[in-house]
Amino acid sequence: MGLWFVWKTTRPLQQLKDAVSKYNPSYRNMGLPKGDTSEIGQLMNTFSSMSGRIQQQHQQQIEFLQNVSHELRTPLMSIQGYASAIKDQVVSVEHGLNVVTAESERLIQMVDWLLQLTRMETVHEEWKLTEVDLQDMMEHVHQLIAPAAVDRSILTTLDAASLEMAIPAEQIFQIAMNFMQNAVRYASHEVKLSLEEMPGGFRICVDDDGPGVPVHERDSVFDRYYTGQTGITGIGLAICKQIADRLGAAISCTESALGGARFCFEFQQDGL
């Protein structure tokens, strides 16, 4: 009986040890042992569940890299194509250089986003608090987005009153800009930026009249691995989520009264 008890105890532990030593997230069907209701069995089931989550994360990372590589490749191909066209005198130098400059700036922005996302996930930086008038900040955002909105014949409006507060201004400005850039990209005719004072904080919301975000995707739209219906990886929204989490703030995607998407950022000073 003693030998049987020892064997019954050590056998599942040996199975678990063998499984852990051979585990590789790239291998999908490793045949991990399933445990019973005992404590050792529960440990085995916990490891099996954990390995499943690791494999899912690994697969998402691969898909993320594939999507980002595709997005980086697009401006690079445009730059290469127009550089060759200029060389062969197929297009005018002025037109070719304009395209090369625009695509270079787009490429730099994407790389900066990737670096920022990686840095926020690995390095804890202290964000400086600055006393600012949020109305001025929103007006600046509105002015900067105006050229892109005009190019797409999008009407943009601003609803904001004066509100002075000590905030990490650079990070919150980035969230508002990203919300507006996405809204202008997907809107049909109209985008609205609003600032609302709340007890101890404020709410920034951007509404558009575009196709919106399906209900089943609203929880994952801020995920770094999320790919929208257009095949674009939402790196900017992932950065917004990282900023909100660091600030203890709330960020959300819902349906807009305009018929499209509504992105909101709610900040409380006591969340810092």
Side-chain angles (χ1 to χ4, degrees):
M1 289 294 293
L3 291 174
W4 178 86
F5 179 77
V6 171
W7 176 83
K8 189 72 174 176
T9 303
T10 58
R11 183 170 176 269
L13 287 175
Q14 185 61 45
Q15 290 177 327
L16 182 59
K17 175 187 174 184
D18 293 340
V20 171
S21 63
K22 297 176 183 177
Y23 180 73
N24 188 320
S26 299
Y27 302 152
R28 294 192 175 180
N29 298 316
M30 291 190 60
L32 296 173
K34 294 185 185 256
D36 51 26
T37 58
S38 66
E39 291 185 0
I40 296 176
Q42 291 176 15
L43 176 62
M44 295 171 69
N45 291 332
T46 299
F47 175 76
S48 180
S49 176
M50 179 190 68
S51 67
R53 293 194 298 271
I54 292 174
Q55 286 179 339
Q56 182 181 17
Q57 183 84 353
H58 180 69
Q59 184 61 33
Q60 288 176 332
Q61 286 179 337
I62 293 175
E63 293 174 0
F64 176 74
L65 288 173
Q66 290 173 340
N67 293 331
V68 168
S69 297
H70 174 74
E71 291 183 39
L72 292 174
R73 180 187 173 103
T74 301
L76 284 172
M77 290 181 65
S78 295
I79 292 170
Q80 183 185 41
Y82 273 91
S84 298
I86 293 172
K87 181 180 179 181
D88 297 336
Q89 299 182 345
V90 177
V91 300
S92 67
V93 173
E94 182 180 0
H95 175 67
L97 289 179
N98 286 338
V99 174
V100 169
T101 300
E103 291 298 291
S104 298
E105 291 174 351
R106 177 184 167 200
L107 188 61
I108 290 171
Q109 183 185 51
M110 291 174 64
V111 172
D112 286 343
W113 277 351
L114 286 170
L115 291 173
Q116 184 179 358
L117 181 60
T118 303
R119 188 173 65 249
M120 282 198 297
E121 291 183 344
T122 56
V123 179
H124 187 79
E125 295 178 309
E126 291 295 331
W127 291 340
K128 180 182 178 182
L129 298 182
T130 307
E131 188 77 26
V132 299
D133 188 332
L134 280 152
Q135 182 186 36
D136 292 341
M137 179 186 288
M138 294 304 104
E139 288 177 349
H140 189 202
V141 170
H142 190 244
Q143 291 170 359
L144 289 176
I145 208 68
V150 170
D151 286 344
R152 295 202 63 242
S153 300
I154 302 297
L155 172 66
T156 60
T157 57
L158 172 63
D159 180 11
S162 180
L163 176 60
E164 295 188 4
M165 191 174 294
I167 59 172
E170 181 181 345
Q171 286 71 32
I172 292 176
F173 176 82
Q174 185 174 7
I175 289 176
M177 275 297 299
N178 193 273
F179 282 0
M180 286 294 286
Q181 287 170 342
N182 283 341
V184 168
R185 183 183 299 124
Y186 292 106
S188 297
H189 304 97
E190 183 180 0
V191 170
K192 179 180 178 181
L193 170 62
S194 59
L195 169 67
E196 177 186 352
E197 185 175 4
M198 299 171 57
F202 60 87
R203 179 192 292 119
I204 297 172
C205 289
V206 174
D207 294 84
D208 68 67
D209 63 346
V213 180
V215 175
H216 65 278
E217 294 185 13
R218 290 174 187 171
D219 289 337
S220 57
V221 71
F222 297 102
D223 192 280
R224 65 177 295 178
Y225 308 112
Y226 173 80
T227 302
Q229 295 177 346
T230 59
I232 297 176
T233 302
I235 301 174
L237 289 178
I239 292 174
C240 291
K241 180 66 164 59
Q242 288 285 337
I243 293 173
D245 289 346
R246 282 273 302 272
L247 296 176
I251 195 168
S252 63
C253 171
T254 57
E255 184 177 356
S256 169
L258 298 180
R262 176 179 175 86
F263 285 87
C264 289
F265 170 78
E266 296 185 9
F267 177 82
Q268 299 286 332
Q269 281 189 314
D270 56 9
L272 293 175

